[in-house]
């Protein structure tokens, strides 16, 4: 395991160097967050004490860390890959330590989630360098999943599918959204996730709010219920899956609109293949919903990338002309929402393959009666 992690970190740092150099960037500075986890296998949180991976394009990498946190690097990618560690103690200037690794740098790209405290500290320490976001470089790495990452996403998909399989047993009239959400939250952890990152149980009119979470609303017979759930595996890769349920029987209006949604979701999955654009996948779903007269009720993009973050590149949205490539992973989740009445959404995570895409979620798409 140690050797494979060391090799993985070394390969990812080399790719990041090449992409940064191609972009004319002299160095990357990456603070704790998903980018650091991806590049160096380090899971940490940012705070007022600076920790940062410093990656010059023409020199060796270094990791700047408070001395009191240095033992936490044992066994990490930084340790196993032999990255030079520069520690510091309270009262010393860590931003100056970073600057000393970047002598002569003119363009420095910083992680998008670097705290402003450190952005400004580096600006003062590197007065002759311009700062820019590292996102254009790092997204080129992270949005193309390697085989190990795809396998993590498959495992995450299977885990969250096992939770959705249990949902009909918890959804019944007389229970509150919060009570159902508590059952789901426990099941997400029992299925192998480290936590429930989000639990949406949108019943009746609450289902018309795509990002509704939980409330004390009592579920009623006839309610359509949107259940959108997910979380990270121990390796950091996330699940995210939505299914729509109905408590009791569905009206003709519900059946008709939901059938349109099923066709739209299927069309978008069929459109997701190498050479297609992100916006064309969005349009594949949107056109069916629009042509059926429900266009104004589809109020969000069709999908988002997923991996170490629930929402990351690529985004499946109008205006994104990105060409899809094998290894790109994202959600396909069209929805129809009738304000103050009800809503519905179907969501699978898919991974682009050599000739199409693979869905990592396999639960039925039908409107499930509870």
């Amino acid at each position: 395991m140690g050797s494979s992690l060391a090799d993985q970190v070394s390969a990812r740092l080399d790719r990041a160097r090449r992409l940064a150099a191609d972009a004319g960037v002299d160095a990357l500075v990456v603070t704790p967050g998903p980018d650091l986890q991806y590049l160096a296998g380090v899971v940490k949180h940012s705070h007022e004490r600076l920790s940062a991976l410093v990656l010059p394009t023409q020199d060796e990498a270094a990791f700047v860390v408070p001395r009191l946190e240095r033992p936490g690097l044992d066994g990490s990618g930084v340790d196993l890959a032999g990255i030079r560690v520069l520690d510091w103690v309270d009262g010393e200037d860590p931003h100056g330590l970073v600057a000393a690794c970047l002598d002569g740098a003119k363009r420095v790209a910083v992680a998008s989630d670097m705290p402003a405290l450190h952005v400004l500290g580096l600006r003062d320490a590197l007065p002759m360098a311009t700062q820019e976001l590292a996102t254009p470089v790092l997204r080129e790495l992270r949005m193309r999943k390697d085989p190990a990452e795809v396998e993590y996403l498959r495992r995450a998909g299977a885990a969250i599918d096992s939770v959705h399989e249990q949902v009909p047993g918890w959804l019944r009239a007389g229970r509150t959204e919060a009570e159902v959400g508590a059952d789901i939250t426990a099941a997400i952890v029992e299925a192998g996730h480290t936590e429930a990152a989000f639990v949406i149980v949108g019943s009746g009119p609450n289902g018309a709010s795509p990002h509704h979470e939980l409330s004390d609303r009592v579920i009623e017979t006839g309610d359509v219920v949107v259940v959108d759930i997910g979380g990270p595996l121990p390796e950091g890769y996330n699940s995210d899956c939505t299914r729509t349920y109905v408590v009791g029987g569905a009206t003709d209006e519900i059946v008709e609109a939901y059938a349109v949604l099923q066709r739209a979701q299927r069309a978008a999955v069929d459109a997701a293949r190498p050479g297609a654009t992100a916006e064309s996948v969005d349009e594949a779903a949107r056109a069916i919903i629009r042509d059926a007269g429900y266009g104004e009720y589809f109020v969000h993009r069709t999908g988002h990338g997923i991996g170490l973050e629930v929402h990351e590149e690529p985004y499946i949205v109008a205006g994104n002309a990105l060409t899809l490539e094998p290894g790109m992973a994202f959600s396909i989740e069209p929805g129809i929402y009738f304000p103050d009445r009800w809503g519905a959404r179907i969501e699978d995570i898919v991974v682009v393959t050599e000739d199409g895409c693979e869905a990592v979620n396999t639960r039925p798409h039908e409107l499930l009666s509870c």
Side-chain angles (χ1 to χ4, degrees):
M1 174 66 180
S3 176
S4 63
L5 178 58
D7 292 343
Q8 178 190 84
V9 168
S10 295
R12 288 179 176 178
L13 292 182
D14 285 344
R15 289 174 59 208
R17 276 195 188 91
R18 290 196 299 272
L19 286 170
D22 290 345
V25 170
D26 295 315
L28 303 175
V29 181
V30 182
T31 43
D35 288 331
L36 182 61
Q37 184 176 356
Y38 179 85
L39 287 173
V42 174
V43 180
K44 288 172 58 66
H45 297 286
S46 277
H47 50 62
E48 78 280 3
R49 291 187 175 100
L50 177 69
S51 291
L53 172 70
V54 185
L55 186 64
T57 57
Q58 303 297 327
D59 204 351
E60 65 175 324
F63 196 83
V64 173
V65 65
R67 187 167 299 167
L68 79 168
E69 295 181 14
R70 183 166 183 163
L73 296 177
D74 292 346
S76 72
V78 167
D79 177 27
L80 297 174
I83 296 173
R84 180 169 58 117
V85 176
L86 304 174
D87 62 17
W88 61 279
V89 298
D90 290 347
E92 296 180 344
D93 176 18
H95 303 104
L97 203 56
V98 172
C101 299
L102 301 177
D103 185 40
K106 300 299 183 184
R107 290 178 61 190
V108 176
V110 302
S112 60
D113 51 5
M114 181 183 289
L117 171 71
H118 300 314
V119 172
L120 298 178
L122 289 175
R123 184 173 297 172
D124 290 341
L126 292 162
M128 303 305 293
T130 60
Q131 286 179 322
E132 57 195 81
L133 288 177
T135 304
V137 171
L138 297 179
R139 71 183 173 202
E140 292 299 313
L141 297 173
R142 288 181 49 198
M143 72 178 172
R144 295 171 179 83
K145 272 55 180 182
D146 63 29
E149 292 178 288
V150 172
E151 182 56 31
Y152 290 143
L153 290 172
R154 289 191 187 108
R155 287 171 47 193
I160 208 65
D161 280 357
S162 74
V163 179
H164 269 295
E165 185 177 9
Q166 301 172 71
V167 168
W170 299 319
L171 265 181
R172 58 182 179 270
R175 302 197 77 200
T176 66
E177 293 173 354
E179 288 171 337
V180 174
D183 290 331
I184 291 172
T185 297
I188 287 174
V189 175
E190 289 171 5
H193 300 81
T194 59
E195 63 174 337
F198 54 93
V199 175
I200 293 174
V201 179
S203 64
N206 289 340
S209 174
H211 280 177
H212 174 79
E213 293 183 358
L214 300 171
S215 76
D216 291 328
R217 183 183 184 276
V218 177
I219 297 167
E220 302 174 359
T221 299
D223 276 351
V224 178
V225 185
V226 178
V227 177
D228 184 351
I229 54 179
L233 296 183
E235 297 84 2
Y237 288 80
N238 284 275
S239 65
D240 185 2
C241 184
T242 307
R243 291 294 183 265
T244 301
Y245 303 84
V246 62
V247 179
T251 65
D252 290 345
E253 175 199 46
I254 292 169
V255 169
E256 179 181 332
Y258 192 82
V260 171
L261 184 61
Q262 279 186 280
R263 293 200 304 272
Q265 205 270 348
R266 181 71 255 172
V269 171
D270 290 343
R273 57 184 52 252
T277 62
E279 63 185 356
S280 72
V281 176
D282 178 87
E283 178 59 19
R286 198 167 302 278
I288 289 176
I289 293 173
R290 184 176 59 241
D291 291 348
Y294 300 119
E296 66 181 294
Y297 304 114
F298 182 12
V299 296
H300 55 71
R301 64 196 173 204
T302 293
H304 57 81
I306 191 167
L308 290 171
E309 294 177 276
V310 177
H311 288 186
E312 59 182 49
E313 300 275 358
Y315 292 101
I316 309 305
V317 64
N320 185 2
L322 175 76
T323 298
L324 301 181
E325 299 177 19
M328 291 183 177
F330 46 85
S331 67
I332 293 182
E333 51 176 310
I336 298 175
Y337 311 94
F338 301 103
D340 302 318
R341 297 176 58 211
W342 63 278
R345 181 164 66 254
I346 302 170
E347 176 185 20
D348 290 329
I349 300 302
V350 303
V351 182
V352 179
T353 62
E354 294 296 331
D355 58 1
C357 73
E358 170 194 351
V360 304
N361 302 107
T362 58
R363 293 290 301 158
H365 291 171
E366 285 72 29
L367 183 63
L368 300 177
S369 180
C370 303

